[in-house]
Amino acid sequence: MVNHIEVDGRSVAFTETGAGPALVLVNGFAATANDWDPGFVARLAESNRLILVEHRGMGVSGDDGRPFSIADLAADVGAVIASQTSGSAAVLGWSMGGYVAQQLALSNPSQVGRLVLLSTDAGGPESLYVEDAVLAGIANLDLPPIEQAQNLLNLLFPPAVAEVIFSQFGQLVADARGELREDVLARQLKAIRAWRTGVSAVVAGGLACPVFVAAGTEDAVIPPVNARLLVGCSQTAWLAEFPGGGHAFMAQFPGQLGDAINQFLAL
C-alpha cells in the first residue's frame, strides 16, 4: 500500500513492509521505490520495518516542477522520518540515494541513528568519478525503452550478469523506463552534479553515526575506491566489498548483503 505525506504542498509517497526498527530506503538516480530488488527487500524486512521513500517527481510522488538539490531530497526523507517514527531511523541510501542519506545525516543528525551507504561516494573533489557521459546516458530517454533497458543493465552489472538479467527482466525494466519523465531526470542530474562540486562529508567533519559502507568491485557507475574514502568519514564504520559486484550489486547478493546489513543494524 502506498502512503503519502504533504511536504511544502507536494505529496511525498512511500511504502512500508516488514516489522521491527525503522529502516528508510532511499533509491538512486532514475530509480523508483519499485526498483529495489525484491529478494534484498525481503531479507531486510525479516528484521526491520522498511520505509521505501519515493523521490519527488518519481512514481506517485508529487512534483512542483522546480529545481531541487540533494539537500531538498534529504529534507523530503527527513519529513517522512518525522511523520512515521519517534524521531529517528536507520537510513539506507544507494547511489544518488547515498548522497541524500549522507546529507540528511550531516544536516539533521538526530534523525539518523545508523547509516547504510551502497555504491556511492562522499561527494566533493576528494571523490573519484567516471565520465559525466555515463550519468547523462542513464538520463537519456530518446531510445526505445527496451534498448534503454539493455544499456542500463549493462551499466549496472558485469556483462555476463547483465545478459542473464536482461533475458529474464528486460521487459520489466523497459516498462519502468517508459514511465520516467525527462524533466525530472534532468533535475536529478543537476542535483548530482552540484553535490559533486560541493563540500564532501570528509571536509564537513565526517558522519557522527555508525556507518556501513558496501560496494561491488566491478562498479562501472561509481568507482568502488570511493567506499574506502567513505569509511574514513566515520569513526565507527564497517566496510564490505563484493568481488564481481556491479553498481546494483544488491541484486547479485541479496541474501549475503541483507544479512550483513541486518547484523550491523542489530548492534
Side-chain angles (χ1 to χ4, degrees):
M1 178 179 177
V2 179
N3 303 296
H4 300 265
I5 63 168
E6 186 171 306
V7 180
D8 295 332
R10 291 176 291 100
S11 174
V12 176
F14 61 95
T15 56
E16 295 184 80
T17 186
L23 171 60
V24 179
L25 271 59
V26 188
N27 219 332
F29 177 44
T32 72
N34 289 331
D35 292 329
W36 288 106
D37 177 75
F40 179 57
V41 168
R43 188 60 63 95
L44 293 177
E46 291 177 2
S47 302
N48 305 280
R49 171 194 168 209
L50 304 187
I51 303 172
L52 289 72
V53 179
E54 200 79 271
H55 291 304
R56 58 180 71 182
M58 300 294 289
V60 292
S61 273
D63 177 36
D64 54 20
R66 294 183 297 177
F68 51 77
S69 64
I70 295 298
D72 293 327
L73 298 180
D76 290 346
V77 175
V80 173
I81 291 174
S83 71
Q84 300 300 310
T85 74
S86 59
S88 67
V91 180
L92 180 156
W94 172 67
S95 195
M96 182 190 79
Y99 301 167
V100 176
Q102 289 176 70
Q103 182 60 53
L104 181 62
L106 290 168
S107 60
N108 208 345
S110 64
Q111 287 196 301
V112 182
R114 286 178 179 266
L115 194 59
V116 178
L117 301 174
L118 308 178
S119 304
T120 193
D121 59 69
E126 298 82 16
S127 298
L128 181 66
Y129 307 113
V130 297
E131 294 182 2
D132 189 69
V134 172
L135 292 181
I138 296 174
N140 184 1
L141 302 180
D142 292 338
L143 295 174
I146 195 66
E147 292 185 32
Q148 294 180 44
Q150 188 166 35
N151 291 341
L152 178 63
L153 292 173
N154 285 336
L155 280 176
L156 296 182
F157 301 102
V161 178
E163 183 178 351
V164 172
I165 293 179
F166 180 74
S167 67
Q168 296 177 341
F169 305 108
Q171 190 57 55
L172 287 176
V173 177
D175 292 344
R177 293 289 298 182
E179 297 294 323
L180 297 176
R181 290 172 42 193
E182 186 174 3
D183 64 312
V184 174
L185 298 192
R187 283 178 279 152
Q188 284 191 353
L189 186 55
K190 185 175 181 179
I192 289 172
R193 289 167 173 158
W195 164 266
R196 290 181 166 184
T197 59
V199 176
S200 73
V202 178
V203 176
L207 301 164
C209 63
V211 181
F212 177 97
V213 180
T217 61
E218 303 301 317
D219 192 332
V221 179
I222 293 182
V225 67
N226 288 296
R228 294 184 176 272
L229 179 62
L230 273 170
V231 168
C233 294
S234 171
Q235 295 182 355
T236 52
W238 289 27
L239 173 64
E241 296 172 305
F242 286 75
H247 189 58
F249 71 103
M250 69 286 295
Q252 296 174 254
F253 310 99
Q256 186 179 351
L257 178 60
D259 286 345
I261 293 170
N262 286 341
Q263 182 182 359
F264 166 75
L265 296 176
L267 292 177

Coordinates of all heavy atoms in Angstrom, one line a residue, residues 17-60:
T17 N 6.9 -2.2 4.6 CA 6.9 -3.6 4.6 C 7.8 -4.1 5.8 O 8.7 -3.4 6.2 CB 7.3 -4.3 3.3 OG1 7.1 -5.7 3.4 CG2 8.8 -4.0 3.0
G18 N 7.5 -5.2 6.3 CA 8.3 -5.8 7.4 C 7.9 -5.2 8.8 O 7.0 -4.4 8.9
A19 N 8.6 -5.7 9.8 CA 8.3 -5.3 11.2 C 9.6 -5.2 11.9 O 10.6 -6.0 11.7 CB 7.4 -6.2 11.8
G20 N 9.7 -4.3 12.9 CA 10.9 -4.1 13.7 C 11.3 -2.6 13.7 O 10.5 -1.7 13.4
P21 N 12.6 -2.3 14.0 CA 13.1 -0.9 14.0 C 13.0 -0.4 12.6 O 13.1 -1.1 11.6 CB 14.5 -1.1 14.4 CG 14.6 -2.4 15.1 CD 13.6 -3.3 14.4
A22 N 12.7 0.9 12.5 CA 12.5 1.6 11.2 C 13.9 1.7 10.4 O 14.9 2.1 10.9 CB 12.0 3.0 11.4
L23 N 13.8 1.3 9.1 CA 14.9 1.4 8.2 C 14.3 2.0 6.9 O 13.5 1.5 6.3 CB 15.5 0.0 7.9 CG 16.5 0.0 6.7 CD1 17.7 0.9 7.0 CD2 17.0 -1.4 6.5
V24 N 14.8 3.2 6.6 CA 14.3 4.0 5.5 C 15.3 3.7 4.3 O 16.5 3.9 4.4 CB 14.3 5.5 5.8 CG1 13.8 6.3 4.6 CG2 13.4 5.8 7.0
L25 N 14.7 3.3 3.2 CA 15.4 3.0 1.9 C 15.2 4.2 1.0 O 14.1 4.6 0.6 CB 14.9 1.7 1.3 CG 15.6 0.4 1.7 CD1 15.4 0.2 3.2 CD2 15.0 -0.7 1.0
V26 N 16.4 4.7 0.5 CA 16.4 5.9 -0.4 C 17.1 5.4 -1.7 O 18.3 5.1 -1.7 CB 17.2 7.0 0.2 CG1 17.0 8.3 -0.7 CG2 16.6 7.3 1.6
N27 N 16.3 5.4 -2.8 CA 16.9 4.8 -4.0 C 17.7 5.9 -4.8 O 17.7 7.0 -4.4 CB 15.7 4.3 -4.9 CG 16.1 3.0 -5.6 OD1 17.3 2.8 -5.9 ND2 15.2 2.1 -5.9
G28 N 18.2 5.4 -5.9 CA 19.2 6.3 -6.7 C 18.6 7.0 -7.8 O 17.4 7.1 -8.0
F29 N 19.5 7.5 -8.7 CA 19.2 8.3 -9.9 C 18.3 7.5 -10.8 O 18.6 6.3 -11.1 CB 20.5 8.6 -10.5 CG 20.4 9.4 -11.8 CD1 19.5 10.4 -12.0 CD2 21.2 9.1 -12.9 CE1 19.4 11.2 -13.1 CE2 21.2 9.8 -14.1 CZ 20.3 10.8 -14.2
A30 N 17.2 8.1 -11.2 CA 16.3 7.5 -12.2 C 15.6 6.2 -11.7 O 15.1 5.4 -12.5 CB 17.0 7.2 -13.5
A31 N 15.6 6.0 -10.4 CA 15.1 4.8 -9.8 C 13.9 5.1 -9.0 O 13.9 6.1 -8.2 CB 16.1 4.0 -9.0
T32 N 12.9 4.3 -9.0 CA 11.7 4.4 -8.1 C 11.8 3.4 -7.0 O 12.6 2.5 -7.0 CB 10.4 4.2 -8.9 OG1 10.3 2.8 -9.2 CG2 10.4 5.0 -10.2
A33 N 10.9 3.6 -6.0 CA 10.8 2.6 -4.9 C 10.5 1.2 -5.4 O 10.9 0.3 -4.7 CB 9.8 3.1 -3.9
N34 N 9.9 1.1 -6.5 CA 9.6 -0.3 -7.0 C 10.8 -1.0 -7.6 O 10.7 -2.2 -8.0 CB 8.4 -0.2 -8.1 CG 7.1 0.1 -7.4 OD1 6.8 -0.2 -6.3 ND2 6.2 0.8 -8.2
D35 N 11.9 -0.2 -7.8 CA 13.0 -0.8 -8.5 C 14.0 -1.5 -7.6 O 15.0 -2.1 -8.0 CB 13.8 0.3 -9.2 CG 13.0 0.9 -10.4 OD1 12.2 0.1 -11.0 OD2 13.2 2.1 -10.7
W36 N 13.7 -1.5 -6.3 CA 14.6 -2.3 -5.4 C 14.5 -3.8 -5.7 O 13.4 -4.3 -6.0 CB 14.2 -2.0 -3.9 CG 14.5 -0.7 -3.4 CD1 13.7 0.3 -3.1 CD2 15.8 -0.2 -3.0 NE1 14.4 1.4 -2.6 CE2 15.7 1.1 -2.5 CE3 17.1 -0.8 -3.0 CZ2 16.8 1.9 -2.1 CZ3 18.2 0.0 -2.5 CH2 18.0 1.3 -2.1
D37 N 15.5 -4.5 -5.5 CA 15.5 -5.9 -5.8 C 14.6 -6.6 -4.7 O 14.8 -6.4 -3.5 CB 16.9 -6.5 -5.7 CG 16.9 -8.0 -5.8 OD1 16.8 -8.5 -7.0 OD2 17.0 -8.7 -4.8
P38 N 13.6 -7.4 -5.1 CA 12.6 -8.0 -4.2 C 13.3 -8.9 -3.2 O 12.9 -8.9 -2.0 CB 11.7 -8.8 -5.1 CG 11.8 -8.1 -6.4 CD 13.2 -7.7 -6.5
G39 N 14.3 -9.7 -3.6 CA 15.0 -10.5 -2.6 C 15.7 -9.8 -1.6 O 15.7 -10.2 -0.4
F40 N 16.4 -8.7 -1.9 CA 17.1 -7.8 -1.0 C 16.1 -7.2 0.0 O 16.3 -7.2 1.2 CB 17.8 -6.7 -1.8 CG 18.6 -5.8 -1.0 CD1 19.6 -6.2 -0.1 CD2 18.4 -4.4 -1.1 CE1 20.3 -5.3 0.7 CE2 19.1 -3.5 -0.3 CZ 20.1 -3.9 0.6
V41 N 15.0 -6.7 -0.5 CA 14.0 -6.0 0.3 C 13.4 -7.1 1.3 O 13.3 -6.8 2.5 CB 12.9 -5.4 -0.5 CG1 11.7 -5.0 0.4 CG2 13.4 -4.2 -1.2
A42 N 13.1 -8.3 0.8 CA 12.6 -9.3 1.7 C 13.5 -9.7 2.8 O 13.1 -9.9 3.9 CB 12.2 -10.6 0.8
R43 N 14.8 -9.8 2.5 CA 15.8 -10.1 3.5 C 15.9 -9.0 4.6 O 15.9 -9.3 5.8 CB 17.2 -10.4 2.9 CG 18.2 -10.9 3.9 CD 17.7 -12.3 4.5 NE 17.6 -13.3 3.5 CZ 18.6 -14.2 3.2 NH1 19.7 -14.2 3.8 NH2 18.3 -15.1 2.3
L44 N 15.9 -7.8 4.2 CA 15.9 -6.7 5.1 C 14.6 -6.6 6.0 O 14.7 -6.3 7.2 CB 16.1 -5.3 4.4 CG 17.4 -5.1 3.7 CD1 17.4 -3.7 3.0 CD2 18.6 -5.1 4.7
A45 N 13.5 -6.9 5.3 CA 12.2 -6.9 6.0 C 12.1 -8.0 7.1 O 11.1 -7.9 7.9 CB 11.1 -7.0 5.0
E46 N 13.0 -9.0 7.1 CA 12.9 -10.0 8.1 C 13.2 -9.5 9.5 O 12.7 -10.0 10.5 CB 13.9 -11.1 7.8 CG 13.5 -12.0 6.6 CD 14.6 -13.0 6.2 OE1 15.6 -13.1 7.0 OE2 14.5 -13.7 5.2
S47 N 14.0 -8.3 9.5 CA 14.4 -7.8 10.8 C 14.0 -6.3 11.0 O 14.3 -5.8 12.1 CB 15.9 -7.9 11.0 OG 16.3 -9.3 10.9
N48 N 13.4 -5.7 10.0 CA 13.2 -4.2 10.0 C 11.9 -3.9 9.5 O 11.3 -4.6 8.6 CB 14.3 -3.5 9.2 CG 15.7 -3.9 9.7 OD1 16.2 -3.4 10.7 ND2 16.3 -4.7 8.9
R49 N 11.3 -2.8 9.9 CA 10.2 -2.1 9.3 C 10.7 -1.2 8.2 O 11.3 -0.2 8.5 CB 9.4 -1.3 10.3 CG 8.3 -0.5 9.8 CD 7.8 0.5 10.8 NE 7.0 1.6 10.2 CZ 6.9 2.8 10.7 NH1 7.5 3.1 11.8 NH2 6.1 3.7 10.2
L50 N 10.6 -1.6 7.0 CA 11.1 -0.8 5.9 C 10.2 0.3 5.4 O 9.0 0.1 5.3 CB 11.4 -1.7 4.7 CG 12.3 -2.9 4.9 CD1 12.6 -3.6 3.6 CD2 13.6 -2.5 5.6
I51 N 10.7 1.5 5.2 CA 10.0 2.6 4.7 C 10.7 3.0 3.4 O 11.8 3.5 3.4 CB 10.0 3.8 5.7 CG1 9.4 3.4 7.0 CG2 9.2 5.0 5.1 CD1 9.5 4.4 8.1
L52 N 10.1 2.7 2.2 CA 10.7 3.0 0.9 C 10.2 4.3 0.4 O 9.0 4.4 0.0 CB 10.4 1.8 0.0 CG 11.0 0.5 0.2 CD1 10.5 -0.2 1.5 CD2 10.9 -0.4 -1.0
V53 N 11.0 5.3 0.4 CA 10.6 6.7 0.0 C 10.8 6.9 -1.5 O 11.7 6.4 -2.1 CB 11.5 7.7 0.7 CG1 11.1 9.1 0.3 CG2 11.4 7.5 2.3
E54 N 9.8 7.5 -2.1 CA 9.8 7.9 -3.5 C 10.2 9.3 -3.7 O 9.6 10.2 -3.1 CB 8.4 7.7 -4.0 CG 8.3 7.6 -5.5 CD 8.6 6.2 -6.0 OE1 9.8 5.9 -6.2 OE2 7.7 5.3 -6.1
H55 N 11.3 9.6 -4.4 CA 11.7 10.9 -4.7 C 10.7 11.8 -5.4 O 9.8 11.2 -6.1 CB 13.0 10.9 -5.5 CG 14.2 10.4 -4.9 ND1 14.7 10.9 -3.7 CD2 15.0 9.3 -5.2 CE1 15.8 10.2 -3.3 NE2 16.0 9.3 -4.2
R56 N 10.7 13.1 -5.2 CA 9.8 14.0 -5.9 C 9.8 13.8 -7.4 O 10.9 13.7 -8.0 CB 10.1 15.4 -5.5 CG 11.4 15.9 -5.8 CD 11.6 17.4 -5.4 NE 11.7 17.5 -4.0 CZ 11.8 18.7 -3.3 NH1 11.9 19.9 -4.1 NH2 11.9 18.8 -2.0
G57 N 8.6 13.7 -8.0 CA 8.5 13.5 -9.4 C 8.7 12.1 -9.9 O 8.6 11.8 -11.1
M58 N 9.0 11.2 -8.9 CA 9.2 9.8 -9.3 C 8.0 8.9 -8.8 O 7.5 9.2 -7.7 CB 10.5 9.2 -8.7 CG 11.7 10.0 -9.2 SD 12.1 9.8 -10.9 CE 12.6 8.0 -10.9
G59 N 7.6 7.9 -9.5 CA 6.5 7.1 -9.1 C 5.2 8.0 -8.9 O 4.8 8.7 -9.8
V60 N 4.6 7.9 -7.7 CA 3.4 8.7 -7.5 C 3.7 9.8 -6.5 O 2.7 10.4 -6.0 CB 2.3 7.8 -6.9 CG1 1.8 6.8 -7.9 CG2 2.8 7.0 -5.7

